[in-house]
Amino acid sequence: MYSLEVRNIKMKYDNFTALSDVSLKVKKGEFVTLLGPSGCGKTTLLKIISGFITPSNGNVFINNEDVTKTPPETRDTAMCFQSYALFPHLSVLQNLSFGLIQRKVDTKKRSQILEEVVAQLELTTELEKLPNQLSGGQQQRVALGRALVMRPEVILFDEPLSNLDALLRESVRIEIKRIVKLFNLTAIYVTHDQHEALSLSDRIALLHEGSIIQIDDSETIYTSPKNKFVANFLGSSNIISAKLIKKGNKKNEWIFQSEIGKLVVYSEEVSVKPDVHISWRSEKVTFNKSSDNKIKGKIENIFFLGSHYEVFVKVNKEIVKINVSNKHLLNKEITFFLDKRDLKILED
Amino acid sequence: MKALNYLKIIALLLPGFGLILFFLGMILYVAIFQSFGLFNLSGEDNFTLQYWEKLFNRKVFYRSVNYSLYVGVISSIISVALAYPIALWLRKPFYGSIIINSILKAPLLVHGLVAAFLFVNLVAYHGIINQIFIFIGLWDEPIRMQNDKNAIGVLILQVWKNLPFALLILLGSIQSIGDDVIDAARDLGANSFARLKKIIAPLTISSMQAALIIIFIGALADFSFQSIAGPTNKYSLSQLMLYYKNNGRWHEAAGVGVTIMIISFLGAIFISYLTKFIFFGRKINEFK
């Protein structure tokens, strides 16, 4: 049984299609992130799940119950807004209690729930304060607490960290993950930040132009992008066009001719198209001579990024990007290696 | 240097603020002093409480106070209550909303006397409403609606005239509430009424108070609507003041004037506290 199921959702605004045939199933306690660039339809999908938008077509099920036409006020979801949306005239305690009072939860149970959430979010000393007396991180915690006290079947996050500074973002991110796991909540999280998505999610649904392009766990979606868009959007990828020469001698080995030379690629596909795109992550280069693919090029640009150097290397006519942590390797020319398992054949 | 700066500020404020203060002060001074027998226009000045005593011993004075309070309270509440849903409806622009908004504000441009005259034309014994209803067969004979004893006509006119004003004040305030805040309330289970009562009204309370107070004061001291469309057996405070003045009883007229000012002042304070109590009165004491 799924906590949330989105079935064949379509959303059209006059001539513009915001979502086209989107389906998604989320298990109880799963953390799914809707990731994508601005305008890809991720917030529209979140608003459909929360009930603020009724889809043109398709259905939303929560705990197997069709809630497509159920208004947000009676739907078993709770949303954490990008702007926090705290009620500015109410104290922290009143903000936290608001939903419970609306749902007519009796005073004893209300106190019990509030006490637990307040303690977990470390808001005990802030209860009498108004939202404008809190820091950004505290406001975020109140917004999270306000949603948590509702004990919703599905908790929804609409880019909740986008208004926080980098340092605070990291601590609130850890907090969100901890709380969601602690209360075993089913969470749908919208973001355009790949780091947030990768670090928080059990699964990531990557949206592009109103469709889910790929949905997989963080590691799979990162290491095995399905197509050029996914490879480009998530992490730093090199994508090169290549032609199939032949099947390799070893099992699942394919040999390609590309602009950076011959490449040996490992793929479990039964058949491979003659013209493909091959991608590899810039951090996947090694300087271990036993690797399958040896590539030599001229260094064009070097950028120091703290933990490593981002190096642009000209290989034949192609510029590729690699991450190098050892400064001594950075001469005029560089030779690096790619493991055949780190090269991915992209669809389309 | 500091003193010079203060002088500069005072000099800059004087043409506006000074003028207001001067005339307000003068009116208050003259009205209050006159009500105590001073500032006598037809004789010697004598400090006395007799004019206030006369006022307090007359039933007509209390009836006027009650009637003016009735008109002031009812018209301010209805105007603001009706303005809220309209302001919420017009909160987000939609096709035709600018035209609707402009039409709704049109009564602000019509003078009260003109509006009352038009209203009388509608509700008169041989007025348009009676003629239409007789024509379509709903009524057999004309109904007397003009100068009704419950002042429904006055209330309609007051609301018609003041609703656009309340709308003008409330609309900007409601538009400044973020969509997310209202959506959050909805997401937490608040229905339309709860959203209005617990979120929208408290967040627009300053505008609500301003609208209520200004409409209340205006309606309390109404003269034109009452004179033309009001009940003939009751005097509003303004009418009573004019009656005394026309009879040369300036001191009693001043007493009524002071009464209007006192009721306006107390009414404004009462409205401020009452609205605050209604929307912020209850505290949640989960951990106390």
Side-chain angles (χ1 to χ4, degrees), chain A residues 291-340:
Chain A
S291 283
D292 313 276
N293 300 295
K294 180 184 177 182
I295 293 156
K296 195 175 175 183
K298 204 176 134 192
I299 291 177
E300 292 273 307
N301 267 312
I302 300 169
F303 297 97
F304 178 59
L305 298 182
S307 60
H308 63 272
Y309 293 89
E310 191 176 65
V311 184
F312 289 81
V313 183
K314 193 169 186 181
V315 184
N316 300 325
K317 283 179 183 173
E318 191 81 16
I319 303 270
V320 295
K321 191 165 68 175
I322 61 170
N323 293 353
V324 180
S325 36
N326 191 344
K327 195 181 175 182
H328 300 296
L329 294 167
L330 301 175
N331 301 311
K332 275 188 179 175
E333 286 198 338
I334 190 165
T335 303
F336 57 89
F337 298 86
L338 292 165
D339 191 289
K340 64 181 177 186

Side-chain angles (χ1 to χ4, degrees), chain A residues 211-275:
Chain A
S211 299
I212 294 180
I213 304 294
Q214 186 172 355
I215 177 159
D216 266 310
D217 62 84
S218 303
E219 219 175 308
T220 310
I221 206 167
Y222 185 79
T223 54
S224 304
K226 206 168 165 185
N227 61 20
K228 268 169 90 174
F229 174 77
V230 181
N232 264 328
F233 193 81
L234 267 173
S236 175
S237 284
N238 292 290
I239 300 169
I240 47 173
S241 45
K243 278 185 190 300
L244 178 67
I245 301 175
K246 59 177 183 179
K247 205 167 182 319
N249 297 331
K250 291 179 187 166
K251 197 185 171 192
N252 295 330
E253 205 175 75
W254 303 82
I255 317 269
F256 290 89
Q257 181 62 51
S258 77
E259 286 173 27
I260 60 167
K262 258 186 195 170
L263 293 173
V264 182
V265 180
Y266 178 89
S267 171
E268 288 174 4
E269 296 290 325
V270 181
S271 67
V272 172
K273 286 177 187 170
D275 290 299

Side-chain angles (χ1 to χ4, degrees), chain A residues 84-296:
Chain A
Y84 317 135
L86 298 178
F87 306 128
H89 59 298
L90 300 181
S91 68
V92 169
L93 177 60
Q94 287 169 321
N95 264 282
L96 293 171
S97 319
F98 189 90
L100 296 174
I101 292 169
Q102 290 311 308
R103 296 266 160 97
K104 295 187 170 66
V105 176
D106 67 77
T107 319
K108 199 179 162 193
K109 197 174 175 200
R110 205 161 73 204
S111 303
Q112 199 184 329
I113 296 171
L114 282 168
E115 228 163 310
E116 188 186 356
V117 171
V118 164
Q120 281 300 333
L121 293 171
E122 293 168 19
L123 287 168
T124 318
T125 54
E126 322 297 334
L127 292 174
E128 297 300 321
K129 289 183 182 169
L130 287 173
N132 64 6
Q133 294 171 306
L134 304 174
S135 67
Q138 286 171 327
Q139 287 185 33
Q140 182 57 63
R141 293 216 302 271
V142 177
L144 181 61
R146 197 175 60 175
L148 282 175
V149 295
M150 302 301 287
R151 297 279 191 269
E153 183 60 37
V154 182
I155 189 163
L156 308 164
F157 296 93
D158 186 10
E159 306 203 34
L161 308 183
S162 58
N163 290 337
L164 302 176
D165 60 60
L167 208 65
L168 203 55
R169 202 176 298 166
E170 194 180 320
S171 63
V172 178
R173 194 174 66 200
I174 295 166
E175 193 76 353
I176 287 176
K177 188 159 188 173
R178 182 181 72 83
I179 296 289
V180 167
K181 290 292 164 203
L182 182 77
F183 290 99
N184 192 31
L185 295 167
T186 306
I188 305 292
Y189 189 98
V190 161
T191 185
H192 59 260
D193 185 321
Q194 47 168 302
H195 298 294
E196 257 174 62
L198 290 167
S199 60
L200 283 169
S201 323
D202 295 322
R203 283 193 298 155
I204 297 172
L206 193 64
L207 279 97
H208 181 49
E209 291 176 349
S211 299
I212 294 180
I213 304 294
Q214 186 172 355
I215 177 159
D216 266 310
D217 62 84
S218 303
E219 219 175 308
T220 310
I221 206 167
Y222 185 79
T223 54
S224 304
K226 206 168 165 185
N227 61 20
K228 268 169 90 174
F229 174 77
V230 181
N232 264 328
F233 193 81
L234 267 173
S236 175
S237 284
N238 292 290
I239 300 169
I240 47 173
S241 45
K243 278 185 190 300
L244 178 67
I245 301 175
K246 59 177 183 179
K247 205 167 182 319
N249 297 331
K250 291 179 187 166
K251 197 185 171 192
N252 295 330
E253 205 175 75
W254 303 82
I255 317 269
F256 290 89
Q257 181 62 51
S258 77
E259 286 173 27
I260 60 167
K262 258 186 195 170
L263 293 173
V264 182
V265 180
Y266 178 89
S267 171
E268 288 174 4
E269 296 290 325
V270 181
S271 67
V272 172
K273 286 177 187 170
D275 290 299
V276 294
H277 282 99
I278 292 172
S279 93
W280 48 279
R281 299 282 178 199
S282 46
E283 71 272 17
K284 289 290 180 187
V285 295
T286 67
F287 298 93
N288 177 359
K289 288 177 185 169
S290 63
S291 283
D292 313 276
N293 300 295
K294 180 184 177 182
I295 293 156
K296 195 175 175 183

Side-chain angles (χ1 to χ4, degrees), chain B residues 260-282:
Chain B
I260 293 174
M261 286 190 270
I262 291 170
I263 295 175
S264 300
F265 180 68
L266 293 177
I269 294 170
F270 180 71
I271 287 167
S272 299
Y273 276 101
L274 185 72
T275 46
K276 270 203 171 172
F277 176 76
I278 290 172
F279 297 110
F280 291 96
R282 277 179 57 220

Side-chain angles (χ1 to χ4, degrees), chain B residues 208-258:
Chain B
M208 187 205 293
Q209 286 170 336
L212 280 170
I213 290 168
I214 296 170
I215 295 170
F216 168 75
I217 292 171
L220 178 89
D222 166 53
F223 180 79
S224 47
F225 291 154
Q226 166 62 20
S227 307
I228 295 171
T232 47
N233 62 339
K234 279 170 193 155
Y235 270 166
S236 71
L237 281 167
S238 305
Q239 270 183 316
L240 186 66
M241 191 169 79
L242 191 74
Y243 165 79
Y244 283 136
K245 179 245 157 196
N246 286 345
N247 288 294
R249 293 153 73 175
W250 283 91
H251 299 289
E252 283 157 277
V256 178
V258 171

